[in-house]
Each structure stands twice: as C-alpha cells, then as structure tokens.
Amino acid sequence: MKHLLLVFLGGGFGSVLRYLIGKQLNSSTTGIPYGTFAANILGSLLIGIILGLAAKNNTLSQSQTLLLATGFCGGFTTFSAFAYENHVFLKAGDFTSFAIYTVGSFIVGFLAVFLGIFLVK
C-alpha cells in the first residue's frame, strides 16, 4: 500500500507540473506543442538521472525510486519510461526488441488515437 501511495503522490505532482509547463509553453499561434516537447525531454533526462543514481551504489531507496521515477516521471511524461526501456534494450544489445518496441509503439499508438477518434464520431 505504501508503494501505491508513493507512485500516486509522485504521479500527481508530475501531472500538475506537466500541465503548468504545457499551459505556459504550448503555442496556439504556431501549433507546435513546445510544452509537451519540453516535458518529454526533461522527463527523459530526469528519469536517467534518477535511475542512474538508484543504480550507483544504491544511492536511492526503492521508495525514493518509486516516488521519483515511477510516480513523478511517469506522471510528468510516459515518454521517459519509453526512452528508458529502449535504453535497456540497446544496452543489452537486443536490437530486435528495440526496433519492434519503438516502431510498434509509434505505429500502434497513432492508430489507437485515430481509432478512438473514429469510434466516437
């Protein structure tokens, strides 16, 4: 139960911060979602730092890792988890899983959005 609460709290803070960044940086004039882009890149950097610290001499506890990586970064952007998981594939030399996961995520993700929009029309 403690782990669920940590993920819940971190996710809430991450989601609120992503909303505020998006509200501030997303442009209605250019249409380019700079806030979303910034959140994805910053979240990817943060999850790398957090999981790097967790792996380095057990610098972070499991609870801290759940709060910060799974919770905060997960709420801030799921792209950070996607990027880290691909890092794991590449580090292990599993290029097939990397390619399938990356291409599959993009294609199936886009198709799922289009299907969802189609279904509600």
Side-chain angles (χ1 to χ4, degrees):
M1 189 61 159
K2 175 186 171 186
H3 292 161
L4 291 176
L5 182 60
L6 290 170
V7 172
F8 174 77
L9 290 173
F13 284 116
S15 295
V16 168
L17 184 57
R18 180 183 66 226
Y19 168 77
L20 293 173
I21 289 173
K23 188 174 179 178
Q24 189 69 31
L25 297 180
N26 284 350
S27 173
S28 60
T29 58
T30 65
I32 298 173
Y34 292 112
T36 303
F37 179 78
N40 284 336
I41 301 307
L42 184 56
S44 295
L45 175 65
L46 285 173
I47 204 169
I49 291 169
I50 292 163
L51 294 175
L53 286 172
K56 183 180 178 181
N57 303 323
N58 294 321
T59 305
L60 295 177
S61 70
Q62 181 185 16
S63 294
Q64 291 169 319
T65 303
L66 283 171
L67 174 73
L68 298 172
T70 305
F72 181 80
C73 289
F76 191 55
T77 172
T78 58
F79 187 80
S80 60
F82 171 76
Y84 177 74
E85 290 159 353
N86 274 308
H87 162 78
V88 171
F89 285 138
L90 290 174
K91 188 175 179 182
D94 190 352
F95 301 109
T96 302
S97 293
F98 167 78
I100 291 169
Y101 184 51
T102 300
V103 173
S105 293
F106 282 112
I107 292 172
V108 175
F110 288 130
L111 289 175
V113 169
F114 299 147
L115 177 63
I117 292 168
F118 174 78
L119 290 173
V120 298
K121 282 188 173 183

